[in-house]
Amino acid sequence: RTRITPTVRSSTTMAAISANAFRTVGAVSATRTHVASSARAVSMPARAVATKSSMGFASQTQRRNVAMAVSRGRSSTNTTRGFEVVAQAISEPAATETVPESAADATEAVCYLRGVHMSPYKVRRVLDVIRGKSYEECLIMLEFMPYRACEPVLNALFSAASNAKNNLGMNKAKLYVSEVTADGTGTMKRFHPRAQGRPFPIRKRTCNITLKMKER
């Protein structure tokens, strides 16, 4: 009988074979990548090539930093709320434009906000806090109070202050809320299905906000 002896290769020989195979595969893949990139560059339009070369970002980290800088620039343009609004109102000089003759006798600026989709009871909870307060105090209170009714009241406050400055020639830093009310208006009736096929009524209340400001 012929006995077949398996060939035993040393670890040094196996390492050399593996290294040669790795170099061969790497060279082939590098050649394929170079050919593919060349073909892509040839097929790319001239405008796209110019745009890509003009960007000139060397790494993904630089692109991420540029995107973060752009987002910070966009967010910084919408931060004129709260204390910044108060500082802007205080630093505004007194209005020097000519006041119309029809508004010469007016002593208060009015803003009417109609059809607010909110219950008047929830709005009055906020109005009771700002009644009699100055313009700066109202801005701070409405900015940090945890109620959804603060948003429409804040819009009405901005509108009344603008009316006082542009139409009556008043100074925003001297304004205060002289009168503010919330009156209930129409109620939208809807129905929601409940157990045993019964309709459950839903009443969506609305209100009108009236805000008046005077100068101290």
Side-chain angles (χ1 to χ4, degrees):
R1 296 180 180 179
T2 304
R3 185 174 183 181
I4 300 175
T5 305
T7 304
V8 179
R9 298 181 180 179
S10 62
S11 59
T12 305
T13 306
M14 294 297 294
I17 294 174
S18 301
N20 293 333
F22 180 75
R23 293 194 191 96
T24 304
V25 173
V28 172
S29 62
T31 305
R32 291 179 180 177
T33 305
H34 178 70
V35 172
S37 60
S38 302
R40 192 183 303 110
V42 171
S43 62
M44 185 181 301
R47 183 177 179 181
V49 174
T51 305
K52 186 175 181 180
S53 61
S54 62
M55 291 175 63
F57 297 146
S59 63
Q60 186 177 2
T61 305
Q62 294 182 1
R63 291 195 295 270
R64 188 184 302 109
N65 294 337
V66 171
M68 292 177 62
V70 172
S71 63
R72 292 195 193 100
R74 291 176 180 175
S75 61
S76 61
T77 58
N78 298 326
T79 57
T80 58
R81 304 290 296 275
F83 294 104
E84 296 184 5
V85 175
V86 175
Q88 182 180 359
I90 295 175
S91 62
E92 284 184 356
T96 57
E97 58 267 10
T98 304
V99 180
E101 296 180 357
S102 59
D105 298 334
T107 59
E108 60 183 6
V110 186
C111 173
Y112 299 101
L113 195 59
R114 306 295 189 187
V116 179
H117 289 263
M118 193 172 300
S119 173
Y121 302 101
K122 298 179 181 179
V123 178
R124 288 168 190 160
R125 177 175 52 184
V126 177
L127 300 184
D128 293 339
V129 177
I130 67 172
R131 186 178 290 108
K133 300 295 190 303
S134 64
Y135 178 55
E136 295 84 0
E137 293 175 347
C138 293
L139 290 177
I140 297 176
M141 291 178 180
L142 294 176
E143 188 69 23
F144 296 103
M145 289 176 65
Y147 301 124
R148 194 168 61 92
C150 293
E151 183 176 356
V153 176
L154 188 63
N155 293 334
L157 187 70
F158 284 145
S159 180
S162 299
N163 293 339
K165 179 179 182 298
N166 300 326
N167 300 338
L168 305 178
M170 297 180 180
N171 189 4
K172 288 185 178 181
K174 299 180 181 180
L175 295 176
Y176 76 99
V177 179
S178 60
E179 182 180 351
V180 59
T181 57
D183 303 322
T185 56
T187 301
M188 297 182 294
K189 296 182 180 180
R190 301 292 185 266
F191 292 94
H192 183 72
R194 295 298 292 270
Q196 299 180 0
R198 298 174 183 175
F200 180 78
I202 298 176
R203 296 179 179 88
K204 298 184 178 182
R205 307 181 187 274
T206 59
C207 65
N208 295 336
I209 300 176
T210 303
L211 194 146
K212 299 181 181 181
M213 302 187 74
K214 291 183 179 180
E215 189 176 21
R216 288 177 177 173

